Amino acid sequence: MQNVSSIDGPGRQRRMAFREPIPAIWDAARFLDAAVSAYQNGHRALAVELIEAAKIPEVGQWGYSIWGAKSPYFQLEKRPRNESGFDARVKQRMPTLEQKRLLHRRDGYQCRFCGIPVIRAEVRKKFCLAFPELQIWGATNETQHVAFQTMWAQYDHVIPHSAGGQNDLNNLVVACGPCNFGRMDYTLEEVSLVDPREREPVRSAWDGLERFLAIT
């Protein structure tokens, strides 16, 4: 993925994402995908090994480097916002289950900013139930599986609610945790990001491990 896209103002480069993804993220995704296939075929012990193999430290380091409080990849240039009509704005809300399905059908199970694979929280919860002996999702960063954390599917308001953005699907895109939380509530212009709607979604065979939900 080419990170730099255009010039935004005097000498400012607008980026497609905060940081170029690293190959280890796709390695982790392949391990998890293979774990689902192993589990489907009755090889639970192998699935456990593959889930553990997906705990690649570099994947967590990549994610933390973006959403950390002092991220070197975060560049902010505060800009005036048009406050007119804000009293009439709709209440901010996250998409419904059906809207999420439509978003993933449109965007694929990949971040519209950096392009990495993402996994819905519902799938992650199924992993927690199927593999209770593994440390997949605890209350702290240290107790969360780095691949599930980095690839955590989010639904980002392109125009933030605080800047007058609406809740319709045209203003929502699928994003990974680092890109969504790293951006926080700032506009694309304020953090020098290109509007992801200006380019086609990434298309691949990645299915977000959704087939795992169908396994009884």
Side-chain angles (χ1 to χ4, degrees):
M1 183 188 77
Q2 184 64 34
N3 204 24
V4 173
S5 176
S6 61
I7 301 297
D8 180 27
R12 282 202 88 194
Q13 294 178 323
R14 295 190 65 186
R15 308 161 292 171
M16 293 171 64
F18 289 107
R19 184 183 175 188
E20 192 86 7
I22 59 174
I25 296 171
W26 280 272
D27 292 338
R30 282 190 287 271
F31 281 129
L32 293 177
D33 186 74
V36 171
S37 296
Y39 191 78
Q40 280 180 313
N41 293 317
H43 304 302
R44 190 180 187 281
L46 176 58
V48 168
E49 291 180 16
L50 290 164
I51 293 169
E52 289 295 284
K55 290 182 178 179
I56 303 173
E58 291 81 7
V59 172
Q61 291 162 8
W62 182 88
Y64 299 147
S65 74
I66 295 172
W67 69 29
K70 298 181 180 179
S71 170
Y73 301 97
F74 183 76
Q75 303 169 11
L76 178 63
E77 183 181 305
K78 291 282 286 184
R79 300 188 178 188
R81 296 186 182 183
N82 181 6
E83 301 291 337
S84 62
F86 268 29
D87 290 343
R89 66 187 175 191
V90 298
K91 183 179 179 181
Q92 184 178 17
R93 59 173 171 76
M94 286 296 101
T96 64
L97 180 59
E98 179 57 29
Q99 287 174 320
K100 289 178 181 178
R101 289 180 178 138
L102 292 172
L103 283 168
H104 282 292
R105 191 178 305 159
R106 185 194 71 192
D107 295 350
Y109 290 89
Q110 292 176 246
C111 177
R112 285 295 297 272
F113 291 98
C114 70
I116 71 167
V118 298
I119 303 168
R120 290 195 304 126
E122 291 82 357
V123 175
R124 185 187 71 229
K125 290 174 184 175
K126 178 71 180 285
F127 269 83
C128 293
L129 291 172
F131 304 97
E133 74 275 25
L134 299 182
Q135 193 174 74
I136 292 178
W137 202 255
T140 64
N141 287 339
E142 293 72 24
T143 57
Q144 293 174 358
H145 191 296
V146 292
F148 282 102
Q149 186 187 67
T150 299
M151 294 189 280
W152 184 7
Q154 303 292 313
Y155 307 95
D156 189 34
H157 287 74
V158 178
I159 301 173
H161 182 257
S162 61
Q166 302 297 301
N167 296 314
D168 60 272
L169 297 185
N170 290 330
N171 191 45
L172 289 166
V173 292
V174 173
C176 67
C179 285
N180 183 60
F181 296 130
R183 179 187 165 196
M184 295 178 278
D185 203 33
Y186 294 109
T187 66
L188 297 176
E189 292 76 18
E190 287 174 322
V191 294
S192 294
L193 288 178
V194 176
D195 190 329
R197 300 170 299 184
E198 294 178 1
R199 59 186 182 273
E200 287 297 311
V202 174
R203 300 296 181 192
S204 75
W206 176 255
D207 69 347
L209 308 179
E210 290 289 309
R211 67 189 188 283
F212 191 58
L213 294 176
I215 301 175
T216 56

